[in-house]
Amino acid sequence: MMYDSILARSFSRHEQKKLGYGAFFCCLFIALCFCTVLKPSLNPLPALNLQRSLGVRHKILALMESNKESNSSQQVIKAKLDREIQTEELKKVSLIHEDEVGDSKLHQKNASSTDSVPGDDDDHETIKIVEVVTKSVEPFVCNVNEPRTEYCEINIDSLVNAKSSSVFVASSRMEMLAAGNSSWTIRPYARKEDATAMSHARKWLVKPLSTDHQEIPQCTRNHNVPAILFSIGGYTGNHFHDFTDVVIPLFITSRKYKGEVQFLITDIRPWWIEKFKAVLKGLSNYQFIDIDKEQVVHCFPSITVGLIRHEKELAINNPSKYSLSMKDFRDFLRQTYSLKKANAIRVRDGQRKKPRLLIIPRKRTRSFTNTVEIMRMARRLGYKVSVAEASMDVAKFAQVVNSCDVLMGVHGAGLTNILFLPENAIFIQILPVGGFEWLATEDFGKPSQDMNLKYLEYKICNEESTLIQQYPLDHAVFTDPYSIGKQGWEAFKSIFLEKQNVKLNVNRFKPTLLKALELLHQ
């Protein structure tokens, strides 16, 4: 009251009113300056995002805790997720996922609006978070449970020391705990179930080491692209194994890099490199390194030790797992070897152009003894016939195979060249005596259908095998060939693969060639 009386005596009523208005506008001006300079965020959405993300977190934890058989990686995901939520990493999770499916700059610019879109499916958000966290806590994964191969995918800095046959993974303590402080011995050849093949592949130790560990070597040569370390030991030199054990797995493993990958090849065989130089050049933009000869330590941002392969022969028939298909591989071969013929001929009545038949005669074993007779019969049926044997010049023979509409040959590695046939071509596999049905189907029959070829099979009778000149018809070779197989692979191979040739009964075989013509009409 005292201050009011003083104010009343000092100013008239009108002047007091003017002073009040001035004070009001002054406060308004100060508030405006504060907002302009400091720009405080009035957006309540971050709190909303955190609340929604926490809800997702609870769902994930409930899901993990309800799974009694959860493995260690799931437990690490749970711990990592707790830590990331506590350290305000939820927003990064959303941004990382968006970067994978669109333009990263655009999504970063609109991150707040993307995070706060109402009505998003919570289950979908759960999947996104688990995927990203899995990547962050599994910088390296060694898969030794595949039926046909074993490999390590390492997504952090790695050092390759050929002197000690070692790949060291530069790891933090948390990453080493996640890996269980384990190390792995890998033979990087994709036929792990075959002890004989694997004995020809060098062992490599994959070992995580703390970045401050004294044992970790110093980098001598740094690379800025990922690497793939693989062996060309094993059964390479056999055309079938060249492709099913090395070339196709290498395609599956490396194609995602689009050439920006360094190949480290162990167990080098120079003739193999010469044979498949076009394939190596088509998959990598860099000269391969003969890693066994290296005296320096190579360092990479990431590396795959070993090759990923399908459990079946000559196969990539699980696109959802590999993001590739046999069609992709055959397209790669067409591009690599400049194969012009994409589709087999479609035969029409009255047309002059004849379908081309290629006979693979084989030179040493399981060869045709009456090739000329087969050629004459095929020409009478309307085929243009060629006879050719595969050689080390893959590019040249690929052109020959690709020009044909029908390929025929006795079961053996040479039939691997069906990979170069055009779409909808006909493949005829001749099965010799010896119970080859399962082997023939798995090695070439099923794979040929994945290649979009039309498959025919002809099983010879005892009289068409030259074994009839070595064994009587009542011998187990003819009456019970499976009993020979039970004696072991060497016994089976020595009789049915190495001692047998084929003399086709052309009259008996004729319907098979007619069936091939019928298929070319379709």
Side-chain angles (χ1 to χ4, degrees):
M1 293 297 295
M2 180 181 69
Y3 292 111
D4 288 344
S5 61
I6 293 173
L7 185 65
R9 288 197 298 268
S10 301
F11 301 95
S12 67
R13 182 175 297 178
H14 180 69
E15 288 175 331
Q16 291 178 24
K17 191 173 184 180
K18 288 173 63 178
L19 183 60
Y21 285 139
F24 172 77
F25 285 113
C26 182
C27 292
L28 184 63
F29 178 76
I30 292 172
L32 181 62
C33 291
F34 175 80
C35 292
T36 303
V37 175
L38 299 181
K39 296 181 180 179
S41 174
L42 302 179
N43 190 352
L45 290 178
L48 176 61
N49 288 338
L50 180 60
Q51 185 179 9
R52 291 181 62 212
S53 300
L54 286 172
V56 172
R57 171 200 172 196
H58 292 320
K59 287 186 179 182
I60 298 173
L61 298 184
L63 178 63
M64 290 180 176
E65 290 172 358
S66 66
N67 185 358
K68 296 181 181 179
E69 298 179 359
S70 61
N71 56 30
S72 60
S73 65
Q74 288 175 318
Q75 295 169 2
V76 173
I77 290 173
K78 175 183 175 182
K80 177 68 175 179
L81 191 57
D82 279 332
R83 187 170 69 257
E84 290 201 352
I85 290 173
Q86 292 169 3
T87 56
E88 299 180 352
E89 290 294 324
L90 287 170
K91 189 173 180 180
K92 293 181 181 179
V93 168
S94 178
L95 288 175
I96 292 171
H97 179 76
E98 294 296 342
D99 286 347
E100 292 178 350
V101 297
D103 184 358
S104 60
K105 292 183 180 180
L106 178 61
H107 285 292
Q108 287 172 359
K109 182 178 179 181
N110 299 314
S112 62
S113 62
T114 303
D115 290 344
S116 61
V117 173
D120 282 356
D121 184 74
D122 284 345
D123 291 335
H124 182 60
E125 257 188 352
T126 301
I127 293 170
K128 289 197 291 186
I129 292 178
V130 170
E131 287 176 349
V132 176
V133 172
T134 301
K135 290 179 182 177
S136 66
V137 298
E138 293 186 338
F140 54 94
V141 177
C142 284
N143 192 332
V144 295
N145 296 319
E146 294 282 333
R148 309 298 296 275
T149 188
E150 53 189 17
Y151 59 91
C152 290
E153 290 185 293
I154 304 164
N155 299 311
I156 54 177
D157 292 341
S158 307
L159 302 88
V160 181
N161 186 355
K163 290 182 180 180
S164 61
S165 301
S166 301
V167 177
F168 296 110
V169 185
S171 308
S172 66
R173 289 185 178 181
M174 180 60 67
E175 290 162 347
M176 292 185 69
L177 287 173
N181 289 317
S182 299
S183 61
W184 298 265
T185 299
I186 302 292
R187 294 183 187 267
Y189 182 78
R191 187 167 285 269
K192 79 170 190 180
E193 79 285 358
D194 192 311
T196 302
M198 300 306 283
S199 68
H200 299 294
R202 181 181 180 182
K203 291 181 180 179
W204 287 82
L205 176 68
V206 177
K207 186 176 182 180
L209 288 179
S210 175
T211 50
D212 57 357
H213 198 285
Q214 293 181 354
E215 187 181 343
I216 195 164
Q218 294 296 316
C219 292
T220 308
R221 184 178 172 189
N222 286 286
H223 304 260
N224 58 7
V225 296
I228 297 175
L229 192 159
F230 64 96
S231 170
I232 53 173
Y235 290 141
T236 57
N238 176 292
H239 200 56
F240 174 76
H241 289 286
D242 287 340
F243 275 93
T244 198
D245 295 350
V246 181
V247 176
I248 294 177
L250 182 60
F251 174 80
I252 295 172
T253 309
S254 67
R255 194 57 169 169
K256 65 181 179 181
Y257 297 112
K258 299 180 180 179
E260 288 301 305
V261 61
Q262 175 70 64
F263 291 157
L264 310 178
I265 306 181
T266 184
D267 308 307
I268 282 271
R269 298 177 176 181
W271 47 263
W272 194 96
I273 297 294
E274 178 63 23
K275 180 178 179 180
F276 290 104
K277 59 185 178 182
V279 168
L280 295 175
K281 186 177 180 180
L283 292 175
S284 173
N285 299 332
Y286 304 90
Q287 176 67 23
F288 71 89
I289 295 175
D290 183 351
I291 194 63
D292 296 340
K293 293 182 178 179
E294 291 297 300
Q295 300 298 311
V296 301
V297 176
H298 291 264
C299 296
F300 299 91
S302 64
I303 186 171
T304 301
V305 182
L307 297 176
I308 303 168
R309 72 161 286 174
H310 194 275
E311 62 185 72
K312 302 296 184 182
E313 308 289 8
L314 299 177
I316 318 177
N317 62 358
N318 191 344
S320 61
K321 181 176 180 180
Y322 305 114
S323 301
L324 293 165
S325 66
M326 184 53 71
K327 182 182 186 305
D328 296 320
F329 180 66
R330 299 229 301 148
D331 288 343
F332 165 73
L333 292 180
R334 287 197 181 98
Q335 180 181 4
T336 300
Y337 294 111
S338 301
L339 306 180
K340 297 179 181 179
K341 189 170 182 176
N343 293 283
I345 189 174
R346 186 174 180 182
V347 177
R348 289 182 172 84
D349 294 334
Q351 74 176 30
R352 293 184 178 181
K353 193 172 183 180
K354 297 180 178 180
R356 296 178 63 93
L357 167 66
L358 174 62
I359 301 173
I360 298 180
R362 297 184 58 89
K363 293 179 179 179
R364 295 186 296 273
T365 64
R366 284 160 286 144
S367 58
F368 291 122
T369 62
N370 61 333
T371 304
V372 174
E373 187 180 7
I374 299 169
M375 291 174 61
R376 289 173 180 168
M377 184 265 290
R379 285 169 179 160
R380 287 195 297 268
L381 295 179
Y383 287 99
K384 184 176 182 179
V385 184
S386 299
V387 178
E389 186 72 41
S391 68
M392 291 293 289
D393 191 342
V394 177
K396 183 178 179 180
F397 196 66
Q399 295 287 345
V400 173
V401 174
N402 181 250
S403 69
C404 296
D405 307 291
V406 181
L407 181 148
M408 62 171 282
V410 179
H411 174 82
L415 298 185
T416 310
N417 291 290
I418 60 175
L419 285 162
F420 305 116
L421 283 171
E423 298 280 314
N424 298 308
I426 315 299
F427 165 45
I428 304 172
Q429 181 173 201
I430 312 296
L431 274 58
V433 167
F436 279 83
E437 290 81 1
W438 179 85
L439 195 62
T441 299
E442 294 300 315
D443 287 355
F444 300 111
K446 290 180 179 178
S448 69
Q449 295 169 20
D450 292 335
M451 299 175 202
N452 199 24
L453 305 177
K454 297 173 182 177
Y455 177 64
L456 296 175
E457 194 172 275
Y458 177 82
K459 183 179 178 182
I460 70 171
C461 63
N462 294 340
E463 288 74 19
E464 292 175 279
S465 171
T466 58
L467 289 176
I468 198 172
Q469 301 168 11
Q470 305 169 53
Y471 301 93
L473 284 174
D474 60 355
H475 193 279
V477 166
F478 299 110
T479 60
D480 189 13
Y482 294 103
S483 66
I484 306 296
K486 290 178 181 178
Q487 298 175 25
W489 171 251
E490 289 300 323
F492 178 87
K493 182 176 73 170
S494 64
I495 295 176
F496 298 116
L497 298 182
E498 296 177 349
K499 292 182 180 180
Q500 180 175 203
N501 290 320
V502 174
K503 183 179 181 179
L504 276 187
N505 181 330
V506 292
N507 291 325
R508 185 171 180 266
F509 180 65
K510 181 178 178 179
T512 304
L513 285 182
L514 289 174
K515 179 63 176 179
L517 282 175
E518 179 184 332
L519 291 173
L520 289 174
H521 272 85
Q522 295 177 1

